[in-house]
Amino acid sequence: AEMEEFRQSFKWLEVEHKREQRRLQARARATQHRSRRLGEVITSRAELHDFKAALKAKFGNFIRAWRVALSPDDTLVLQRSEFLKACNRLNLNVNAKVVWKAFDRDESGLASIDELDPKSAEILALFQAWCKQKFGSMQDAFSALDADGSKILKAAEFYEQMPKLGWKHPVKELFAGLDKKNEKKITAD
């Protein structure tokens, strides 16, 4: 009876020991989960880096890559399914689903050129705003840039006219992105 009383008086210690064991097991599971998620983040960032490098190598810049490969209809956002189809067409050596996770950082189900390359997105937005503010429309801006009236803007003409008309941002990258077919010219259509 004395032994039973002794064991009962220390039962709380056994209960506490079991609680501590469960807490340690839960902490170990959480650490494993965090490690797995960290591994996924590192992998997705590496895949995104490889994806961006492949786009840049194939298209020269992100604006052209967006307009030609990712969003040929010139929309500024992509749905996941459109992105996966584009990656399949491009036949890049990347895991498109992993790239999507890194690409769609805000988990909206949509990705924009801003998520691909903020600098390129900024150049496009500045150009659009500049054209509308200075000329009223994109068509009127084209006409103003087309000094010889040929309905074709060649690179040299574009590089010369943009600063003359007040553009103070990168010209070559913009032209390369607007030159969708990489023909060293932009047409009025």
Side-chain angles (χ1 to χ4, degrees), residues 1 10 45 56 73 75-76 90 124 165 188:
F10 285 101
R45 286 185 181 160
K56 194 122 181 180
D73 59 353
T75 59
L76 294 178
L90 289 170
L124 277 178
L165 294 171

Side-chain angles (χ1 to χ4, degrees), residues 6 76 93 119 143 182:
F6 180 75
L76 294 178
N93 191 22
K119 182 181 170 197
S143 296
N182 198 19

Side-chain angles (χ1 to χ4, degrees), residues 31-43 107:
T31 300
Q32 280 181 328
H33 180 71
R34 276 193 303 275
S35 295
R36 199 170 30 250
R37 291 215 5 110
L38 180 60
E40 289 172 3
V41 167
I42 291 169
T43 300
E107 297 181 10

Side-chain angles (χ1 to χ4, degrees), residues 22-66:
R22 285 193 304 267
R23 190 178 66 73
L24 291 173
Q25 289 170 351
R27 183 182 286 167
R29 284 191 305 273
T31 300
Q32 280 181 328
H33 180 71
R34 276 193 303 275
S35 295
R36 199 170 30 250
R37 291 215 5 110
L38 180 60
E40 289 172 3
V41 167
I42 291 169
T43 300
S44 66
R45 286 185 181 160
E47 285 284 330
L48 180 61
H49 179 270
D50 293 348
F51 173 73
K52 290 170 93 171
L55 286 179
K56 194 122 181 180
K58 190 167 186 157
F59 298 100
N61 72 39
F62 294 120
I63 297 171
R64 183 181 296 131
W66 182 269

Side-chain angles (χ1 to χ4, degrees), residues 53-164:
L55 286 179
K56 194 122 181 180
K58 190 167 186 157
F59 298 100
N61 72 39
F62 294 120
I63 297 171
R64 183 181 296 131
W66 182 269
R67 295 186 68 220
V68 173
L70 299 175
S71 182
D73 59 353
D74 284 331
T75 59
L76 294 178
V77 293
L78 285 175
Q79 293 181 351
R80 182 178 185 267
S81 60
E82 295 171 310
F83 177 79
L84 296 176
K85 286 177 189 173
C87 287
N88 190 38
R89 277 192 315 273
L90 289 170
N91 199 24
L92 302 174
N93 191 22
V94 295
N95 182 333
K97 290 180 181 176
V98 172
V99 171
W100 176 259
K101 283 184 179 183
F103 195 41
D104 181 26
R105 289 186 293 248
D106 62 2
E107 297 181 10
S108 65
L110 300 171
S112 67
I113 191 169
D114 189 47
E115 289 170 295
L116 175 63
D117 185 54
K119 182 181 170 197
S120 296
E122 180 182 23
I123 290 170
L124 277 178
L126 288 168
F127 180 66
Q128 183 180 29
W130 180 77
C131 288
K132 287 187 178 185
Q133 180 184 30
K134 186 154 185 88
F135 305 103
S137 72
M138 298 301 277
Q139 196 67 35
D140 290 340
F142 185 91
S143 296
L145 290 164
D146 185 17
D148 63 7
S150 65
K151 305 261 190 258
I152 295 172
L153 282 175
K154 293 188 178 174
E157 185 178 18
F158 189 83
Y159 299 160
E160 182 182 328
Q161 290 299 315
M162 289 296 284
K164 279 184 181 178

